[in-house]
Amino acid sequence: MKLDDLLGEYYELEQQLADPAVHADQGQARRLGKRYSQLTPIISAYRELNQVESDIDAAQELAAEDPAFAEEAKELTAEKERLTERLRVLLVPRDPADDKDLIMEVKAGEGGEESALFAGDLVRMYLRYAERQGWKTEIIDATASDLGGYKDITIAFKNRGTPEPGQGVWPQLKFEGGVHRVQRVPVTESQGRIHTSAAGVLVVPEAEEVEVEINDNDLRIDVYRSSGPGGQSVNTTDSAVRITHLPSGIVVSCQNEKSQLQNKEQALRILRARLYAEAQAAADAEAAAERKSQVRTVDRSERIRTYNFPENRISDHRVGFKAYNLDQVLDGELGGVLQALIDADTKERLEQAQS
């Protein structure tokens, strides 16, 4: 969409939101407010750019009388270049899911207990990063391992309010899906040998009920007795729930809650997110069959990142990122590697928009 169209939409939204009648329908008011928040950074950057351009003209006029204004005009020109680039990035077509919350599943892979411990390390890394970002997190379901790791765990990451473009949960974490490999001496290794193991990460945007319609006749629901820790009633009643979506073959299960009904609701929540992601992936593939992105076209079954403990090195194989601060990354300082992925995606989107 062109900038003039966005300006017109923004001013129309301002008028609508100023109308008390609009707020009688809370659903409509939320939708309008959300869109208004999405456009605000674009309009703010546009207004700043206009002001700087006006200031440059004034400084250049005064430079003939006072050389100090020539230096000011030079500084303002640099600021104009920065704002122009910011506006260009803000105008790049956004991922439709950018404002959504996210559901992440982390599963231990081959490697036994060491893989489960690594899965636990990944979970702590993401939770600490979320805490630094001010996001809310919720553990939906988890199966712990004997030594304190996770065989599998499902976590919801939630935005607080409407984030600025590129700053929300989904745009920050959407490239984390894939196989994460670790190289280190496991705590279970008595000879001090370095082992390689892996854990899988799946990320999907969380879908609202109105976005994904699930027909009850398409579901097979099985109940069974929960396993592992979870309170007195968890292991003595058939409270765990497994849902199979027959048309897609997707299977989800949940056993964390004490009641069968609660576990069913959580499992449906995960199922909605997976179905939404599947539909979105199909739409993206249809709309961009010719598009080749080093980030977006990666096979999710392939290794995407290596965590090398002896060298304190983290490497993302999709964009060639490498850094020697693995200890800090695992403590939640994920900014560098995430930004490398975001930059690669933004560059590809800019090229796509200009082609």
Side-chain angles (χ1 to χ4, degrees):
M1 188 177 287
K2 294 181 179 179
L3 184 56
D4 288 345
D5 295 332
L6 294 178
L7 284 166
E9 183 184 358
Y10 185 78
Y11 295 136
E12 184 178 339
L13 285 169
E14 276 189 326
Q15 293 177 347
Q16 289 178 299
L17 290 169
D19 183 357
V22 168
H23 296 274
D25 182 343
Q26 288 299 309
Q28 183 188 18
R30 278 196 299 271
R31 286 192 297 274
L32 294 176
K34 183 177 180 179
R35 181 57 176 163
Y36 185 80
S37 297
Q38 289 174 349
L39 292 178
T40 296
I42 298 173
I43 305 307
S44 295
Y46 171 74
R47 288 171 173 169
E48 282 186 66
L49 181 58
N50 279 348
Q51 183 60 55
V52 167
E53 287 176 338
S54 177
D55 291 343
I56 289 173
D57 290 340
Q60 287 175 339
E61 279 186 30
L62 293 169
E65 301 174 11
D66 186 345
F69 284 103
E71 185 61 30
E72 182 177 341
K74 184 178 178 181
E75 293 173 0
L76 287 169
T77 300
E79 177 66 6
K80 176 186 174 181
E81 291 175 1
R82 185 190 70 79
L83 287 169
T84 300
E85 178 60 21
R86 172 168 168 74
L87 185 59
R88 192 168 73 102
V89 171
L90 287 171
L91 287 171
V92 172
R94 299 180 65 194
D95 184 328
D98 268 5
D99 294 320
K100 291 190 176 296
D101 298 330
L102 174 145
I103 291 179
M104 173 184 287
E105 298 177 56
V106 182
K107 296 179 180 292
E110 295 181 2
E113 192 63 46
E114 162 62 6
S115 178
L117 288 171
F118 177 51
D121 290 337
L122 292 177
V123 168
R124 283 185 288 275
M125 175 183 74
Y126 291 126
L127 291 177
R128 286 172 180 168
Y129 182 72
E131 184 179 0
R132 292 170 188 264
Q133 301 303 308
W135 300 334
K136 294 181 286 185
T137 57
E138 172 194 359
I139 294 178
I140 298 175
D141 195 40
T143 303
S145 69
D146 294 337
L147 295 182
Y150 288 106
K151 295 178 182 177
D152 58 75
I153 182 170
T154 304
I155 310 167
F157 292 81
K158 299 174 176 289
N159 293 299
R160 291 188 184 273
T162 302
E164 282 200 18
Q167 299 304 308
V169 168
W170 179 250
Q172 291 284 315
L173 296 180
K174 65 183 176 182
F175 302 121
E176 291 305 289
V179 176
H180 296 240
R181 184 179 70 167
V182 63
Q183 296 172 324
R184 66 182 176 188
V185 179
V187 294
T188 54
E189 167 60 53
S190 59
Q191 303 298 319
R193 293 172 297 187
I194 295 173
H195 286 226
T196 298
S197 60
V201 177
L202 171 70
V203 290
V204 290
E206 182 157 12
E208 298 176 18
E209 289 188 44
V210 294
E211 294 175 304
V212 177
E213 185 178 341
I214 298 177
N215 190 327
D216 289 343
N217 294 328
D218 290 338
L219 303 179
R220 186 177 72 233
I221 301 177
D222 302 306
V223 296
Y224 57 98
R225 192 156 295 179
S226 302
S227 61
Q232 290 184 334
S233 63
V234 171
N235 303 319
T236 58
T237 62
D238 291 337
S239 59
V241 173
R242 181 187 299 109
I243 298 179
T244 303
H245 185 250
L246 299 174
S248 66
I250 294 174
V251 180
V252 295
S253 59
C254 190
Q255 64 174 11
N256 255 31
E257 306 296 338
K258 291 185 178 180
S259 82
Q260 188 181 116
L261 180 62
Q262 289 174 314
N263 281 322
K264 179 184 175 183
E265 288 303 312
Q266 295 287 47
L268 282 171
R269 181 178 172 189
I270 299 169
L271 177 60
R272 275 194 296 271
R274 288 201 193 174
L275 288 172
Y276 177 89
E278 203 169 76
Q280 191 63 49
D284 288 346
E286 185 177 349
E290 304 298 323
R291 191 175 172 198
K292 295 190 180 297
S293 165
Q294 59 187 329
V295 171
R296 292 179 168 274
T297 60
V298 65
D299 185 337
R300 295 252 172 168
S301 67
E302 292 180 357
R303 179 193 71 214
I304 64 166
R305 192 176 295 155
T306 296
Y307 303 72
N308 185 298
F309 276 67
E311 297 180 14
N312 198 34
R313 169 172 52 83
I314 182 167
S315 305
D316 195 288
H317 309 294
R318 295 165 294 181
V319 292
F321 175 89
K322 187 181 293 185
Y324 293 85
N325 63 337
L326 177 58
D327 53 339
Q328 296 173 11
V329 170
L330 290 173
D331 195 42
E333 294 186 19
L334 266 169
V337 63
L338 295 183
Q339 194 59 53
L341 293 163
I342 292 168
D343 288 347
D345 182 62
T346 300
K347 179 182 177 183
E348 198 272 339
R349 285 178 178 272
L350 281 168
E351 291 172 352
Q352 181 72 14
Q354 293 167 358
S355 63

